Amino acid sequence: MNSGKFQVLDEEINYDNTEYDQNNVDESINLRLINDKYDDEIGLSTDAETLQQAESLLPTHNNPPVKKSKRVYWADCARIFSMVAIILLHSSSFDCELRLKLKNDSSWIIICCFNCLTRFGVPMFVLLSGTFILDPSRNFSFKKLFKHNILRLATAFAFWSTVNAVLDIYLQKESPPLLSDEYMIQFFKKFFVGEEYLWFIFMIIGCYLIAPILRLFSDNVLLARYFLGLCVFFGSFIPTLNNFFAAYRYTEAKNELTVWTSRWHYHFTLEFVGYFVGGYHIMKYVNIRSYLILLTCLTIHVESPADFKGYSHHFRGTDTLTIAIYSVILFIFFQHEIGRISFSENIKKLITKISALTFGMYLSHMVIKNILVNFLHISQYEFLGMALHPVIGVPLLWIIITILSLLTSYGISLIPVLNKYII
């Protein structure tokens, strides 16, 4: 894998992770206008007089030296940070949290914090993806969209879905004989649906499919904010209100809201498209440098005073206002605070390399977790068969999976062909 290319986790596009200097654009336009003018008036003459006349058409200001475009390292850092957060989220798991709470183990709140504070991971990836894909100054073609971007995601899904399907069937207590009819039926069912975490690939392909349309208004501030307003209302506010009613058992209100929203038959600005459009818009048109940790506490714990059944995780979803605000705040933090750090050349190379490996880390980390749990007895509750409390087991599992998934991704990146299609 070419580490000099920035690949946002979900997209695997070989675009340059660079900022474009407006001077380059201005000079290109000026020179093109000059060429057009002289083609009409004096043909293709290139003598000294013609060149002198051409120079006189350039702006009269002192042209500063053109700056070299530079890599956007804050985006790389955000990508790495998000990948590590996702592994922690999957290492802790909501089931582990509930099990501790059912036992009245007060340490459940620690696992709860792990589960809540890492929920920004996938929204951050989508924000970063939109930051670069929807930039009109970057080259775009349908040929590249389908033959490179979407094809690469499809082949990655096919490979890792196969690995997960084979592993799942093998781990069954009574797995069918290899290549038998029953085996193949189970395999294809698991293959086409994919392991749960691979939903990400379907989602980001969907964002890619509408990217050509979204690019048409990404630099139109009014239209972009109108679109984002619809995303916030229908894609975050309504789901949050619905979850609020569910968490506090306002059953009648929840049912009425569900009927009301169903009658809209409205799906255009739901799910992750708001993050996708918001990434580029925030990066270019929003300049906020103060960070308020708004509503994050609501993602930690919501409990009805009646009994345990009121316990809820409804405010942790990626379609809720709490996580949307949390993710956007972190995105802005990386852009404005991490973005002004001057890294040494060695650190830049390291950031670039690890950033290029994060897609492979995402695709492999759940396979690694499955192997660790079922073959090596390493989980939230044990290490090589030795019992552990989840407060220790979760961080340990997180570190092990992070290291092994990084090494796995790096190893695949060294293999020709595979490094282009499965990570």
Side-chain angles (χ1 to χ4, degrees):
M1 181 180 290
N2 185 349
S3 61
K5 299 290 185 181
F6 174 78
Q7 302 163 324
V8 174
L9 165 76
D10 41 14
E11 54 184 66
E12 287 311 295
I13 283 189
N14 277 331
Y15 55 70
D16 290 329
N17 174 11
T18 54
E19 293 176 338
Y20 284 81
D21 192 284
Q22 187 60 39
N23 291 325
N24 294 341
V25 178
D26 294 341
E27 297 302 327
S28 175
I29 294 173
N30 289 331
L31 292 175
R32 185 167 66 250
L33 291 174
I34 291 169
N35 290 338
D36 292 342
K37 177 178 177 63
Y38 277 89
D39 285 347
D40 294 338
E41 296 182 4
I42 55 179
L44 300 177
S45 174
T46 57
D47 56 27
E49 181 180 357
T50 299
L51 293 175
Q52 184 177 5
Q53 292 176 357
E55 290 178 356
S56 67
L57 294 176
L58 291 172
T60 56
H61 60 76
N62 294 327
N63 294 322
V66 176
K67 298 179 182 178
K68 293 183 179 179
S69 54
K70 58 182 180 180
R71 188 175 180 86
V72 187
Y73 290 101
W74 67 263
D76 284 333
C77 291
R79 184 184 183 207
I80 295 168
F81 186 66
S82 298
M83 184 64 252
V84 173
I86 287 175
I87 295 177
L88 177 56
L89 173 63
H90 291 162
S91 297
S92 53
S93 80
F94 184 59
D95 290 339
C96 177
E97 175 188 331
L98 283 183
R99 183 181 298 186
L100 291 173
K101 196 170 192 310
L102 284 169
K103 293 179 178 180
N104 293 321
D105 187 333
S106 60
S107 62
W108 72 269
I109 191 65
I110 298 176
I111 308 303
C112 181
C113 289
F114 291 154
N115 283 325
C116 294
L117 298 177
T118 54
R119 293 281 173 167
F120 69 89
V122 170
M124 179 72 79
F125 282 133
V126 183
L127 285 164
L128 290 169
S129 181
T131 297
F132 297 99
I133 285 290
L134 300 184
D135 186 348
S137 67
R138 293 177 180 271
N139 293 330
F140 177 88
S141 70
F142 282 99
K143 180 178 180 180
K144 182 179 180 182
L145 175 67
F146 285 97
K147 295 188 69 174
H148 177 74
N149 302 334
I150 293 179
L151 175 63
R152 185 168 193 170
L153 287 168
T155 54
F157 173 84
F159 177 84
W160 292 102
S161 188
T162 298
V163 172
N164 280 283
V166 171
L167 184 59
D168 286 349
I169 295 174
Y170 178 81
L171 291 174
Q172 292 177 7
K173 292 182 179 180
E174 296 182 2
S175 58
L178 184 64
L179 300 182
S180 64
D181 290 344
E182 184 181 353
Y183 182 96
M184 297 307 298
I185 290 173
Q186 289 190 28
F187 171 80
F188 282 112
K189 283 182 179 179
K190 294 178 180 293
F191 172 81
F192 285 114
V193 175
E195 197 68 18
E196 184 178 359
Y197 77 103
L198 293 178
W199 68 269
F200 180 84
I201 294 182
F202 291 104
M203 178 271 292
I204 203 62
I205 288 178
C207 289
Y208 281 178
L209 290 174
I210 62 172
I213 300 171
L214 300 178
R215 284 168 60 94
L216 295 177
F217 63 82
S218 57
D219 267 336
N220 186 316
V221 176
L222 181 60
L223 280 179
R225 291 184 177 177
Y226 174 71
F227 183 88
L228 289 173
L230 294 176
C231 291
V232 170
F233 181 77
F234 286 102
S236 289
F237 175 75
I238 296 298
T240 302
L241 185 60
N242 187 70
N243 291 342
F244 177 83
F245 291 153
Y248 287 95
R249 297 181 177 182
Y250 298 144
T251 306
E252 185 175 350
K254 181 181 183 302
N255 292 338
E256 292 295 329
L257 181 62
T258 300
V259 172
W260 183 79
T261 54
S262 67
R263 288 177 177 172
W264 280 81
H265 296 279
Y266 182 90
H267 307 283
F268 184 54
T269 59
L270 302 183
E271 300 292 339
F272 284 87
V273 67
Y275 291 112
F276 196 61
V277 173
Y280 176 72
H281 185 80
I282 293 169
M283 185 271 296
K284 188 166 183 180
Y285 296 106
V286 176
N287 185 21
I288 300 175
R289 299 199 180 195
S290 60
Y291 311 103
L292 303 177
I293 308 302
L294 298 175
L295 305 180
T296 304
C297 59
L298 290 179
T299 71
I300 300 295
H301 180 46
V302 177
E303 184 172 8
S304 168
D307 53 30
F308 172 75
K309 293 181 180 179
Y311 175 76
S312 172
H313 64 286
H314 289 92
F315 295 93
R316 306 179 192 180
T318 54
D319 61 346
T320 59
L321 284 172
T322 50
I323 297 303
I325 293 172
Y326 181 33
S327 302
V328 168
I329 288 173
L330 281 176
F331 181 84
I332 295 172
F333 173 81
F334 273 95
Q335 179 187 357
H336 292 292
E337 301 303 324
I338 305 300
R340 62 184 181 182
I341 296 176
S342 297
F343 297 105
S344 66
E345 290 303 315
N346 289 334
I347 296 298
K348 288 179 180 179
K349 292 178 181 178
L350 180 62
I351 292 173
T352 301
K353 184 61 179 179
I354 296 177
S355 175
L357 297 174
T358 51
F359 187 55
M361 292 176 66
Y362 182 86
L363 293 170
S364 64
H365 82 283
M366 289 302 290
V367 176
I368 292 172
K369 179 185 177 183
N370 209 357
I371 292 173
L372 289 174
V373 171
N374 291 284
F375 293 99
L376 299 178
H377 301 287
I378 298 176
S379 68
Q380 301 101 321
Y381 311 102
E382 60 179 345
F383 179 75
L384 299 176
M386 180 178 64
L388 290 177
H389 192 281
V391 171
I392 298 175
V394 167
L396 183 60
L397 181 64
W398 168 51
I399 293 171
I400 294 173
I401 294 177
T402 300
I403 293 173
L404 291 180
S405 62
L406 179 61
L407 293 176
T408 299
S409 184
Y410 177 71
I412 296 175
S413 73
L414 301 177
I415 304 175
V417 181
L418 291 183
N419 59 7
K420 294 181 180 179
Y421 292 102
I422 70 170
I423 62 170

